Amino acid sequence: MTEPKDLRTTGSREENLDPEDWRQLRKLGHQMLDDMLDYLETVAERPVWQAPPAEVRQRLNEPLPVSPTPLEDVYGQFKRDVLPYPMGNIHPRFWAWVMGGGTPVGVLAEMLAATMNPNMGGGQHSAQLVETQVIAWMREIFGFPEGSSGLLVSGGSMANLVALAVARHAGAGVDVRKLGHSADAKLSVYASTAVHSSVQKAVELMGMGADSLRLVPVSANGSIEVSALRRMLHADRAEGRRPVCVIGNAGSVNTGAMDDLEAIADLCRNEQVWFHVDGAFGAWAVIDPQSRHLVQGMERADSVAFDLHKWMYMPFEIGCVLVRNGSAHKDTFTVMPAYLQRATRGIAGGEDWFSEYGVQLSRGFRALKAWMSLKTYGLDKYRRMIRQNIEQARYLGQLVEQAPSLELVAPVALNIVAFRYLVPGADAARLDALNQEILLQLQERGIAAPSLTQVNGKTVLRVANVNHRTRRADMDILVSAVQSLGMELAAQMR
Ligand SMILES: *Cc1c(COP(=O)(O)O)cnc(C)c1O
């Protein structure tokens, strides 16, 4: 018989994922921090964007690493292959889609959050209090009352999904959680043709089918025709459909158009339909005294979706959903399996678990960057930044209107400018191709990054300014580059 082994002293060596030499990691960590702050400090000196070259693509397509590489070397490859080819959204002349650029405070907050690495699904710990605090601030900003609820989510898409799920739960007329809903229930959601694609995705994911998203025409300025909405609601009801939600746009993604939220709120009250506002970026007009009239009525919504990684400049990912009726919100998602049992004391304490208000159970500590950013900068700073972005957009609009070769294709409602280069006598197809080529060259030459869209069937350049690093001089650079590229390319295309 062999002697029993002493399990404390024999067997394989135990290991963990912390460094063997903390001093060495500390040194490298400090270096990384310095490098990243240098990188941010000098961002304006680099091209907005450059395509990753072939050798970089090749090096970023390597076999699964099974054995270790020293962190110094991995970081070296990051600096060589990853860092020089960014999306561009941290640059002062990036205005494509709607993308914030992040901030140095956000960078540091992400590190602190990752260090604590709490799970924000629930429990009794300080990070829960931080998210609760951020939600309370959001409710105050958006004028949501006591009893309303909120959740930080990955972004506007998830915020819309959560809100629509609550709206359906509240308005389906059957217990959708238990029974699902049958196709002949004909639940329907209303929004303008300018609504964001995430709403269609949400409706599809919820099993309602894309046809249940009823699209209402917009007027010339891009905002929903409220009378058409009313007619559609009535006609649909007469046909046996059951409206569960009307969505108002607070800043349409394409042109920044604002729906008449007050009128939609009145309609929804009369019709007893849930009123949701998609205010991914535009909802933030609420903090600018000169713009807040544009979102008048939003405070009457049953739910609002908005981002903090767009017009609040925080690093991806962070969005938020607010729901006026907090218990309807919780009723939509709460599930209480034995392994998530609550306690009155200990770590599993805490009244309300965030996992009961949304899709995710495990959740990251995105609240910290919001809390730190709001405290560090203060809301007044954000007010000024948003005001500045709006004024810069108007300035760009003026530059475009003053340039004979440029056409402003939609009024500058907020912070989005849609325009194109014109050639007298050129047909529509040639102008579309020309503007597309101007856009590509602006990006490929690293000059500036608008994106491309269609407005009234025309291919146009679109500048969505949620960029805290932009200055008016950057708009000057854009306009002169578009004009000279336009001239150059028009001559070649002749
Ligand atoms: C960006 C945007 C969304 C989606 O938000 P994400 O943060 O990208 O998920 C929804 N609606 C509007 C109006 C948007 O601009």
Side-chain angles (χ1 to χ4, degrees):
M1 204 181 101
T2 53
E3 288 291 307
K5 283 183 179 166
D6 183 345
L7 289 176
R8 283 169 306 173
T9 56
T10 59
S12 57
R13 193 172 66 88
E14 290 175 309
E15 36 180 18
N16 65 34
L17 299 174
D18 286 334
E20 266 163 29
D21 181 351
W22 281 94
R23 265 203 351 243
Q24 198 188 348
L25 182 77
R26 187 183 301 267
K27 189 156 171 275
L28 182 60
H30 287 161
Q31 185 61 52
M32 287 178 177
L33 184 58
D34 277 341
D35 291 349
M36 291 309 102
L37 295 180
D38 284 347
Y39 184 79
L40 284 180
E41 199 179 349
T42 56
V43 63
E45 296 162 21
R46 290 186 295 273
V48 174
W49 179 83
Q50 45 188 340
E55 68 267 21
V56 166
R57 288 176 188 280
Q58 215 160 28
R59 286 198 297 263
L60 290 176
N61 180 18
E62 55 184 354
L64 176 69
V66 177
S67 44
T69 308
L71 181 57
E72 288 78 1
D73 297 354
V74 177
Y75 179 55
Q77 189 187 0
F78 167 79
K79 283 208 292 187
R80 184 191 56 191
D81 292 344
V82 182
L83 194 58
Y85 310 102
M87 176 135 216
N89 55 303
I90 65 173
H91 192 282
R93 283 192 299 281
F94 186 98
W95 306 292
W97 304 287
V98 189
M99 281 189 207
T103 63
V105 170
V107 171
L108 299 175
E110 291 282 51
M111 185 188 71
L112 306 187
T115 304
M116 284 185 76
N117 194 35
N119 188 324
M120 300 298 283
Q124 180 171 225
H125 51 109
S126 57
Q128 290 292 115
L129 301 178
V130 170
E131 181 156 345
T132 304
Q133 169 73 90
V134 170
I135 295 295
W137 289 338
M138 294 301 118
R139 284 175 23 199
E140 184 178 336
I141 290 171
F142 288 89
F144 268 53
E146 204 55 39
S148 58
S149 54
L151 185 73
L152 295 179
V153 291
S154 55
S157 304
M158 185 58 102
N160 280 331
L161 173 63
V162 167
L164 281 169
V166 183
R168 179 180 64 170
H169 180 71
V174 292
D175 184 350
V176 180
R177 290 194 60 180
K178 192 173 161 64
L179 304 170
H181 71 253
S182 58
D184 51 353
K186 290 188 175 168
L187 303 183
S188 39
V189 171
Y190 298 77
S192 87
T193 50
V195 76
H196 189 266
S197 58
S198 60
V199 166
Q200 182 183 332
K201 269 196 203 172
V203 164
E204 289 174 8
L205 272 173
M206 286 162 62
M208 298 172 72
D211 286 352
S212 67
L213 177 58
R214 311 281 288 152
L215 295 178
V216 181
V218 293
S219 59
N221 68 4
S223 59
I224 194 167
E225 300 261 21
V226 178
S227 51
L229 168 63
R230 183 180 299 108
R231 281 196 301 276
M232 206 184 259
L233 271 173
H234 291 169
D236 280 3
R237 277 205 165 121
E239 267 180 32
R241 286 181 179 268
R242 187 179 178 103
V244 291
C245 186
V246 173
I247 301 172
N249 276 324
S252 72
V253 63
N254 217 22
T255 63
M258 289 285 181
D259 287 345
D260 182 344
L261 302 177
E262 200 79 79
I264 301 177
D266 288 340
L267 178 65
C268 285
R269 189 191 48 208
N270 293 338
E271 301 287 336
Q272 300 277 300
V273 180
W274 189 279
F275 173 31
H276 173 65
V277 171
D278 179 3
F281 61 96
W284 287 103
V286 77
I287 66 169
D288 172 27
Q290 294 178 60
S291 307
R292 72 175 307 158
H293 66 279
L294 296 171
V295 292
Q296 186 77 38
M298 181 168 66
E299 73 289 346
R300 294 169 61 194
D302 292 297
S303 53
V304 182
F306 53 91
D307 272 314
L308 292 109
H309 60 210
K310 288 179 174 173
W311 222 352
M312 288 293 276
Y313 318 103
M314 294 179 198
F316 294 114
E317 305 167 342
I318 183 166
C320 182
V321 57
L322 296 179
V323 179
R324 177 173 304 276
N325 181 342
S327 33
H329 187 180
K330 188 168 178 177
D331 279 351
T332 307
F333 292 101
T334 184
V335 184
M336 201 69 67
Y339 49 82
L340 294 180
Q341 217 162 46
R342 289 318 125 76
T344 50
R345 292 158 44 206
I347 302 172
E351 289 281 293
D352 259 348
W353 284 29
F354 286 116
S355 55
E356 292 179 272
Y357 288 85
V359 179
Q360 285 181 280
L361 175 55
S362 294
R363 308 170 62 243
F365 193 10
R366 52 172 61 97
L368 187 66
K369 62 193 171 197
W371 183 79
M372 282 186 69
S373 301
L374 279 159
K375 283 176 72 75
T376 306
Y377 295 115
L379 193 64
D380 278 340
K381 176 80 166 183
Y382 286 103
R383 275 189 229 290
R384 294 199 300 276
M385 296 311 306
I386 284 175
R387 185 77 229 144
Q388 177 171 301
N389 284 156
I390 293 170
E391 279 168 5
Q392 288 164 338
R394 291 197 184 143
Y395 174 69
L396 173 59
Q398 282 165 11
L399 292 180
V400 167
E401 285 185 311
Q402 284 159 13
S405 59
L406 301 180
E407 179 195 14
L408 191 66
V409 297
V412 181
L414 198 63
N415 62 328
I416 296 184
V417 186
F419 67 103
R420 63 176 186 163
Y421 188 81
L422 284 179
V423 178
D427 64 23
R430 184 158 162 246
L431 282 181
D432 285 354
L434 177 64
N435 279 281
Q436 175 162 2
E437 188 57 27
I438 291 172
L439 184 274
L440 289 173
Q441 296 220 11
L442 281 172
Q443 294 184 355
E444 284 169 351
R445 296 187 191 197
I447 300 168
S451 54
L452 210 61
T453 191
Q454 309 275 328
V455 175
N456 305 326
K458 301 168 180 170
T459 296
V460 303
L461 308 185
R462 172 177 164 286
V463 164
N465 188 19
V466 294
N467 193 327
H468 67 89
R469 298 192 174 96
T470 295
R471 300 177 191 187
R472 283 177 186 225
D474 293 307
M475 300 304 189
D476 296 333
I477 292 173
L478 171 69
V479 167
S480 62
V482 170
Q483 286 174 297
S484 57
L485 276 171
M487 233 156 49
E488 200 179 303
L489 292 167
Q492 284 169 22
M493 288 173 89
R494 192 158 293 145

